[in-house]
PDB file of all heavy atoms in Angstrom:
ATOM      1  N   LYS A 336     112.792  98.983 108.056  1.00 78.00           N
ATOM      2  CA  LYS A 336     112.107  98.552 106.847  1.00 78.00           C
ATOM      3  C   LYS A 336     111.311  99.716 106.277  1.00 78.00           C
ATOM      4  O   LYS A 336     110.601 100.400 106.996  1.00 78.00           O
ATOM      5  CB  LYS A 336     111.170  97.389 107.180  1.00 78.00           C
ATOM      6  CG  LYS A 336     110.456  96.830 105.992  1.00 78.00           C
ATOM      7  CD  LYS A 336     109.566  95.682 106.411  1.00 78.00           C
ATOM      8  CE  LYS A 336     108.743  95.244 105.202  1.00 78.00           C
ATOM      9  NZ  LYS A 336     107.598  94.458 105.585  1.00 78.00           N
ATOM     10  N   GLY A 337     111.451  99.923 104.983  1.00 83.00           N
ATOM     11  CA  GLY A 337     110.712 100.978 104.323  1.00 83.00           C
ATOM     12  C   GLY A 337     109.502 100.434 103.588  1.00 83.00           C
ATOM     13  O   GLY A 337     109.269  99.226 103.548  1.00 83.00           O
ATOM     14  N   ILE A 338     108.745 101.329 102.995  1.00 86.00           N
ATOM     15  CA  ILE A 338     107.572 100.944 102.213  1.00 86.00           C
ATOM     16  C   ILE A 338     108.003 100.336 100.883  1.00 86.00           C
ATOM     17  O   ILE A 338     107.470  99.338 100.438  1.00 86.00           O
ATOM     18  CB  ILE A 338     106.678 102.180 101.949  1.00 86.00           C
ATOM     19  CG1 ILE A 338     106.049 102.670 103.232  1.00 86.00           C
ATOM     20  CG2 ILE A 338     105.607 101.852 100.919  1.00 86.00           C
ATOM     21  CD1 ILE A 338     105.236 103.941 103.074  1.00 86.00           C
ATOM     22  N   TRP A 339     108.969 100.973 100.244  1.00 85.00           N
ATOM     23  CA  TRP A 339     109.330 100.628  98.867  1.00 85.00           C
ATOM     24  C   TRP A 339     110.597  99.789  98.806  1.00 85.00           C
ATOM     25  O   TRP A 339     111.516  99.983  99.578  1.00 85.00           O
ATOM     26  CB  TRP A 339     109.536 101.904  98.046  1.00 85.00           C
ATOM     27  CG  TRP A 339     108.422 102.875  98.186  1.00 85.00           C
ATOM     28  CD1 TRP A 339     108.469 104.083  98.811  1.00 85.00           C
ATOM     29  CD2 TRP A 339     107.080 102.719  97.718  1.00 85.00           C
ATOM     30  NE1 TRP A 339     107.246 104.694  98.757  1.00 85.00           N
ATOM     31  CE2 TRP A 339     106.370 103.883  98.086  1.00 85.00           C
ATOM     32  CE3 TRP A 339     106.407 101.727  97.021  1.00 85.00           C
ATOM     33  CZ2 TRP A 339     105.035 104.072  97.775  1.00 85.00           C
ATOM     34  CZ3 TRP A 339     105.068 101.920  96.715  1.00 85.00           C
ATOM     35  CH2 TRP A 339     104.392 103.085  97.085  1.00 85.00           C
ATOM     36  N   ASP A 340     110.635  98.926  97.833  1.00 84.00           N
ATOM     37  CA  ASP A 340     111.824  98.135  97.558  1.00 84.00           C
ATOM     38  C   ASP A 340     112.894  99.085  97.009  1.00 84.00           C
ATOM     39  O   ASP A 340     112.609  99.874  96.094  1.00 84.00           O
ATOM     40  CB  ASP A 340     111.485  97.046  96.530  1.00 84.00           C
ATOM     41  CG  ASP A 340     112.690  96.254  96.143  1.00 84.00           C
ATOM     42  OD1 ASP A 340     113.061  95.336  96.897  1.00 84.00           O
ATOM     43  OD2 ASP A 340     113.276  96.556  95.083  1.00 84.00           O
ATOM     44  N   PRO A 341     114.114  99.042  97.538  1.00 86.00           N
ATOM     45  CA  PRO A 341     115.174  99.946  97.060  1.00 86.00           C
ATOM     46  C   PRO A 341     115.433  99.832  95.559  1.00 86.00           C
ATOM     47  O   PRO A 341     115.741 100.822  94.895  1.00 86.00           O
ATOM     48  CB  PRO A 341     116.403  99.517  97.866  1.00 86.00           C
ATOM     49  CG  PRO A 341     115.855  98.868  99.093  1.00 86.00           C
ATOM     50  CD  PRO A 341     114.571  98.215  98.666  1.00 86.00           C
ATOM     51  N   GLY A 342     115.292  98.639  95.002  1.00 87.00           N
ATOM     52  CA  GLY A 342     115.477  98.459  93.558  1.00 87.00           C
ATOM     53  C   GLY A 342     114.423  99.205  92.759  1.00 87.00           C
ATOM     54  O   GLY A 342     114.699  99.756  91.695  1.00 87.00           O
ATOM     55  N   PHE A 343     113.219  99.230  93.283  1.00 84.00           N
ATOM     56  CA  PHE A 343     112.128  99.957  92.636  1.00 84.00           C
ATOM     57  C   PHE A 343     112.427 101.454  92.645  1.00 84.00           C
ATOM     58  O   PHE A 343     112.313 102.130  91.627  1.00 84.00           O
ATOM     59  CB  PHE A 343     110.818  99.658  93.373  1.00 84.00           C
ATOM     60  CG  PHE A 343     109.705 100.600  93.041  1.00 84.00           C
ATOM     61  CD1 PHE A 343     109.067 100.546  91.817  1.00 84.00           C
ATOM     62  CD2 PHE A 343     109.295 101.553  93.954  1.00 84.00           C
ATOM     63  CE1 PHE A 343     108.045 101.420  91.511  1.00 84.00           C
ATOM     64  CE2 PHE A 343     108.281 102.425  93.664  1.00 84.00           C
ATOM     65  CZ  PHE A 343     107.648 102.360  92.433  1.00 84.00           C
ATOM     66  N   ILE A 344     112.819 101.971  93.791  1.00 86.00           N
ATOM     67  CA  ILE A 344     113.118 103.405  93.921  1.00 86.00           C
ATOM     68  C   ILE A 344     114.258 103.808  92.986  1.00 86.00           C
ATOM     69  O   ILE A 344     114.218 104.861  92.367  1.00 86.00           O
ATOM     70  CB  ILE A 344     113.464 103.766  95.384  1.00 86.00           C
ATOM     71  CG1 ILE A 344     112.258 103.510  96.288  1.00 86.00           C
ATOM     72  CG2 ILE A 344     113.941 105.193  95.518  1.00 86.00           C
ATOM     73  CD1 ILE A 344     111.025 104.303  95.944  1.00 86.00           C
ATOM     74  N   ALA A 345     115.252 102.941  92.860  1.00 89.00           N
ATOM     75  CA  ALA A 345     116.404 103.243  92.007  1.00 89.00           C
ATOM     76  C   ALA A 345     116.004 103.413  90.549  1.00 89.00           C
ATOM     77  O   ALA A 345     116.689 104.102  89.791  1.00 89.00           O
ATOM     78  CB  ALA A 345     117.460 102.150  92.142  1.00 89.00           C
ATOM     79  N   LYS A 346     114.884 102.837  90.138  1.00 87.00           N
ATOM     80  CA  LYS A 346     114.418 102.934  88.744  1.00 87.00           C
ATOM     81  C   LYS A 346     113.671 104.236  88.466  1.00 87.00           C
ATOM     82  O   LYS A 346     113.428 104.580  87.329  1.00 87.00           O
ATOM     83  CB  LYS A 346     113.496 101.761  88.407  1.00 87.00           C
ATOM     84  CG  LYS A 346     114.136 100.416  88.525  1.00 87.00           C
ATOM     85  CD  LYS A 346     115.062 100.170  87.385  1.00 87.00           C
ATOM     86  CE  LYS A 346     115.621  98.761  87.487  1.00 87.00           C
ATOM     87  NZ  LYS A 346     116.821  98.604  86.717  1.00 87.00           N
ATOM     88  N   LEU A 347     113.299 104.942  89.522  1.00 88.00           N
ATOM     89  CA  LEU A 347     112.527 106.174  89.352  1.00 88.00           C
ATOM     90  C   LEU A 347     113.418 107.350  88.968  1.00 88.00           C
ATOM     91  O   LEU A 347     114.615 107.344  89.204  1.00 88.00           O
ATOM     92  CB  LEU A 347     111.775 106.496  90.647  1.00 88.00           C
ATOM     93  CG  LEU A 347     110.728 105.485  91.089  1.00 88.00           C
ATOM     94  CD1 LEU A 347     110.132 105.905  92.429  1.00 88.00           C
ATOM     95  CD2 LEU A 347     109.633 105.341  90.047  1.00 88.00           C
TER      96      LEU A 347
END
Side-chain angles (χ1 to χ4, degrees):
K336 182 179 174 198
I338 292 176
W339 311 111
D340 176 81
F343 165 73
I344 297 300
K346 299 285 184 199
L347 297 177

